[in-house]
Amino acid sequence: MLVAERMPLRLRLVNLNKDFPYGGCWCAPPEPGRLAQDFVRFSVASGVLRFGEFKTKAGRLSPYFFDAGLFDDGSKLGRLAQFYAQALRASGIGFDMVFGPAYKGIPLAATVAVELARQGRNVPFAYNRKEAKDHGEGGTLVGAPLAGRVLIIDDVLSAGTAVRESIALIRAAGATPCALAIALDRQEKTIENGRDAEHSAVQYVRQQLGMQVCSIAQLADLLLHLAQDGIGGARPVYEKMLAYRQRYGVSGE
């Protein structure tokens, strides 16, 4: 709710609802640690973050699984966009527009663009198709023309294939891929030539591709959640998570 206070020769707007700032309010974000813990709890409550035994693309048996596709209604998707926007504000990363890689990145980037505009930061938005369209506007790119510093938004980063494809599209359009925003950094070794590498996909993007990476939460935040807040039967889950990180985790993040 907005209240107009009487002031000499001008009006001052006071926002009485701090959780939903009005347009033009680019307020200070929560501390990164608290934001990450809030996101982990939200992901668990939404059924997006689950604990058990899951096979990853790399063939590993992971004690947890993060499925961003289960942010599957308007309320959850809107809250997710708020987390992305808050994490981006906290990171200080500069960008001129957002880009969503097909397919999961499309709704993520679109809703983040909406949330940024709601908070007073209106930026252009674009995405790509996996199949080129031969009628209408044609091509593989949809939305605003790619220009300036482009922020790529996706859910998680595994092999980095989608990011490299996005980078090639952005550069071909004459723009600059400047950063990547993801929901969860698994902080684990990627696979190269069938073997565990000494770096993660996020580290590869930072060190080899020269791009900044902003994540809402990391594997370390999941471990902290289990250690502090916990879930039903948290101790065995925590021990499996810790063992997984000791085997496949990377240092330096």
Side-chain angles (χ1 to χ4, degrees), residues 173-192:
T176 302
C178 69
L180 169 70
I182 56 176
L184 179 68
D185 178 3
R186 291 182 61 97
Q187 293 184 295
E188 70 180 72
K189 297 174 182 178
T190 189
I191 300 291
E192 290 186 356

Side-chain angles (χ1 to χ4, degrees), residues 30-249:
E31 295 179 2
R34 180 164 66 85
L35 181 68
Q37 287 304 304
D38 288 346
F39 178 69
V40 171
R41 285 190 288 271
F42 167 65
S43 299
V44 171
S46 301
V48 171
L49 178 58
R50 291 174 285 163
F51 301 94
E53 190 173 272
F54 308 91
K55 191 170 184 179
T56 68
K57 288 182 179 179
R60 298 168 182 162
L61 291 179
S62 171
Y64 74 101
F65 183 57
F66 182 85
D67 185 0
L70 295 178
F71 289 118
D72 55 6
D73 62 36
S75 177
K76 286 185 282 191
L77 198 56
R79 186 73 182 100
L80 175 62
Q82 289 181 339
F83 278 112
Y84 271 105
Q86 289 172 328
L88 285 167
R89 288 160 52 194
S91 73
I93 292 173
F95 57 93
D96 301 310
M97 68 176 296
V98 297
F99 177 83
Y103 288 103
K104 280 188 178 179
I106 297 174
L108 294 176
T111 52
V112 171
V114 171
E115 177 61 22
L116 290 171
R118 189 183 72 85
Q119 295 188 21
R121 177 82 195 280
N122 189 31
V123 295
F125 156 68
Y127 63 92
N128 71 298
R129 303 185 184 94
K130 287 195 174 182
E131 301 83 17
K133 192 176 179 182
D134 60 4
H135 60 280
E137 74 278 13
T140 60
L141 295 173
V142 184
L146 293 172
R149 300 167 299 171
V150 182
L151 169 72
I152 302 168
I153 301 181
D154 214 337
D155 55 350
V156 294
L157 191 62
S158 298
T161 304
V163 172
R164 285 192 288 267
E165 291 175 353
S166 297
I167 289 172
L169 285 171
I170 292 166
R171 286 178 175 165
T176 302
C178 69
L180 169 70
I182 56 176
L184 179 68
D185 178 3
R186 291 182 61 97
Q187 293 184 295
E188 70 180 72
K189 297 174 182 178
T190 189
I191 300 291
E192 290 186 356
N193 300 318
R195 297 182 179 181
D196 293 344
E198 290 305 312
H199 57 262
S200 69
V202 166
Q203 288 175 328
Y204 177 85
V205 169
R206 285 180 174 143
Q207 297 166 8
Q208 302 300 319
L209 303 182
M211 293 171 58
Q212 299 180 80
V213 180
C214 170
S215 62
I216 304 173
Q218 299 177 322
L219 175 58
D221 299 306
L222 273 62
L223 287 166
L224 182 61
H225 166 73
L226 292 172
Q228 292 185 344
D229 298 339
I231 57 174
R235 187 67 190 179
V237 175
Y238 175 79
E239 290 176 351
K240 289 180 180 179
M241 293 279 290
L242 196 59
Y244 187 80
R245 186 179 187 185
Q246 288 172 344
R247 180 172 181 181
Y248 297 115

Side-chain angles (χ1 to χ4, degrees), residues 1-2 14-22:
M1 182 174 69
L2 305 181
V14 179
N15 179 22
L16 299 184
N17 190 341
K18 296 180 181 179
D19 291 331
F20 297 93
Y22 51 89

